[in-house]
Amino acid sequence: MKDAVLSELRNADEYLSGQELSVRLGVSRTAVWKAVEKLRREGYTIRSAPNRGYRLEKTALPLCREEILARLPEDFPWQDRILCLDSVDSTNTRLKAMAAQGAPHGSAVIAEQQTSGRGRRGRSFSSPPGMGVYLSVLLRPNCRPEELMHLTCAAAVAVCNAIASVTGLQPGIKWTNDIVLNGKKLVGILTELSLEAESGCVEYAVIGAGINCCQQKSDFPEEIQDIATSLRLAVGKPIDRNAVAAAMLRAMAEMEQHLLTGQAAILADYRQRCITLGKEIALLRGEERRYGTALDVDTQGALLVAFADGHIETVNSGEVSVRGMYGYV
C-alpha cells in the first residue's frame, strides 16, 4: 500500500485528496493516511492541506534507489547495479572494494553522506547528509592505461552535461577536475585506476563525483564559504537530488559509449568548457611556485603552459591555480 500511494503522489503535480487516493487504490482513507505516515517516517516530505489532500515534495526526497530508477529510462543498462547507502566512508573506497570482489562494469555507489570523502592529492571533501549527491561509477574498459589519460576530462564533461540537463546551468571546468560556477567550486571529481599485474592493462576505473546540491552559504565549512557554491545557490530554488543522481548515471553511461572511440570530440567539449585556458596560472609542486599562461589541453588531457621565460611545458601533475579564483589574486 505504501508503495502504491508513493507512486500516485510521485506522478501527481498537484494535491491529491485522500478520497481520490482511496478510490484509485481501492482502499479506505484510513489506509491511505497510514501509508502517508509510514512514508513520512522514512524521510519523504508530504504536505497536507484541508480540502486539498496530499502533495509529495519531490525536491525534498531522500536519495534512494527507487527514486533514482523512477527518473531513469526503463532500458537504462546499469539499473540493476545501483547501490544507494545512507552513509559511507567514501563512495570511491566502497566501489573499489566491490570491484576487487568482481563487481560488474557499470556498478554505481550513491550515498547520502560520506564520512571520509576524498579529493585529489589526499584532500578531504565535505560531504554532509542531505546536501549533495556523492556518486561513484565502476568501468571495466579493457584497454591500456595510456588510452585513458583523458578519463578525468571525459568525466568532467559528463558531469557538466548532467547538471545542464537538470538545471539548465552551463558550468565550467577548472583544469583538471573542478566543476565551477561563477568562479566557485560546485563539484569535485576523483578518478582512480587499477592495473592488472601481468598484462599491465586496466583492470577497472572508478569515477567519483561529489556535487553540492542544496547548500546555502552557511552550510559550507567556514574556510570554504567564499570559494564553494551549490546548485540551489545558483538557481535560487530547491534541487531534486534524485534527478541529479539519475542525470549523472545517464551522462556516465553515455560517456562510456564513446570513451575509447570519441576522444577527440570529448576533448573538444572539454576545451570549450575549460575556464583555465587563456588565464594566468600558478603551478604549485611541493614548495615550488611558477607562473605562466594556460594555452591549451593536449590530446591526453594535459595542460600546455607558456612560462615567463618563453618556453612551453606540458603539465600533467601539480596544483594549478587560476588567477582570480579560490583566493589566488
Side-chain angles (χ1 to χ4, degrees):
M1 174 54 54
K2 177 191 67 174
D3 292 339
V5 170
L6 178 60
S7 179
E8 293 290 339
L9 293 174
R10 183 189 289 130
N11 293 323
D13 294 324
E14 302 294 337
Y15 281 89
L16 284 178
S17 70
Q19 178 63 31
E20 185 173 359
L21 284 167
S22 68
V23 170
R24 288 188 185 185
L25 301 175
V27 298
S28 68
R29 292 182 63 178
T30 299
V32 170
W33 176 82
K34 288 181 177 179
V36 168
E37 290 304 304
K38 286 182 180 179
L39 290 168
R40 284 171 170 163
R41 288 195 294 272
E42 290 181 8
Y44 290 91
T45 300
I46 300 175
R47 307 293 183 191
S48 57
N51 302 317
R52 299 183 72 184
Y54 303 104
R55 187 184 70 187
L56 178 67
E57 292 293 335
K58 298 181 179 68
T59 57
L61 295 176
L63 275 175
C64 72
R65 186 174 184 276
E66 291 74 17
E67 294 299 332
I68 293 168
L69 288 175
R71 292 157 175 78
L72 287 169
E74 291 184 2
D75 60 350
F76 183 69
W78 301 342
Q79 60 181 298
D80 60 339
R81 306 167 197 176
I82 300 169
L83 175 64
C84 280
L85 302 170
D86 290 335
S87 181
V88 69
D89 52 354
S90 157
T91 57
N92 265 33
T93 299
R94 174 63 65 90
L95 194 52
K96 289 197 298 180
M98 291 168 57
Q101 296 298 317
H105 174 84
S107 295
V109 173
I110 304 168
E112 271 282 353
Q113 70 167 331
Q114 297 180 116
T115 57
S116 300
R118 296 184 293 120
R120 286 182 69 238
R121 304 170 69 82
R123 293 191 179 97
S124 63
F125 185 88
S126 177
S127 313
M131 292 292 180
V133 172
Y134 315 113
L135 176 151
S136 295
V137 171
L138 171 69
L139 303 181
R140 294 190 183 273
N142 189 28
C143 66
R144 304 287 301 178
E146 55 267 25
E147 296 179 75
L148 286 183
M149 295 297 289
H150 66 301
L151 178 61
T152 298
C153 294
V157 171
V159 171
C160 288
N161 289 338
I163 290 169
S165 72
V166 175
T167 66
L169 297 169
Q170 295 294 336
I173 304 168
K174 173 185 169 290
W175 189 90
T176 177
N177 65 336
D178 280 359
I179 309 302
V180 297
L181 271 173
N182 302 318
K184 296 185 176 183
K185 184 171 179 176
L186 177 67
V187 184
I189 297 171
L190 178 64
T191 57
E192 300 181 273
L193 299 182
S194 176
L195 305 183
E196 294 176 349
E198 293 184 4
S199 68
C201 289
V202 175
E203 180 184 9
Y204 63 79
V206 170
I207 303 169
I211 306 176
N212 299 328
C213 291
C214 301
Q215 290 95 334
Q216 302 285 12
K217 183 175 180 179
S218 60
D219 293 316
F220 291 111
E222 186 174 353
E223 63 271 17
I224 65 171
Q225 286 183 1
D226 292 331
I227 63 173
T229 191
S230 71
L231 293 178
R232 179 166 187 167
L233 286 171
V235 301
K237 61 183 181 180
I239 299 298
D240 182 345
R241 291 184 302 135
N242 288 292
V244 173
M248 283 284 295
L249 290 170
R250 289 196 306 270
M252 290 292 177
E254 182 177 350
M255 174 208 72
E256 184 272 335
Q257 293 288 313
H258 309 285
L259 184 59
L260 299 181
T261 60
Q263 181 174 343
I266 289 170
L267 288 171
D269 286 348
Y270 183 89
R271 291 186 186 98
Q272 284 191 324
R273 292 188 178 273
C274 186
I275 57 87
T276 308
L277 301 185
K279 301 289 180 61
E280 295 180 39
I281 62 100
L283 173 63
L284 286 69
R285 285 178 175 152
E287 298 300 318
E288 179 188 31
R289 179 185 289 257
R290 301 159 63 203
Y291 297 91
T293 301
L295 301 179
D296 198 2
V297 172
D298 73 8
T299 58
Q300 295 186 320
L303 190 66
L304 302 180
V305 179
F307 289 97
D309 62 4
H311 86 283
I312 296 175
E313 188 173 316
T314 300
V315 175
N316 288 296
S317 62
E319 185 74 12
V320 171
S321 296
V322 177
R323 186 165 188 176
M325 289 185 63
Y326 299 2
Y328 167 42
V329 296

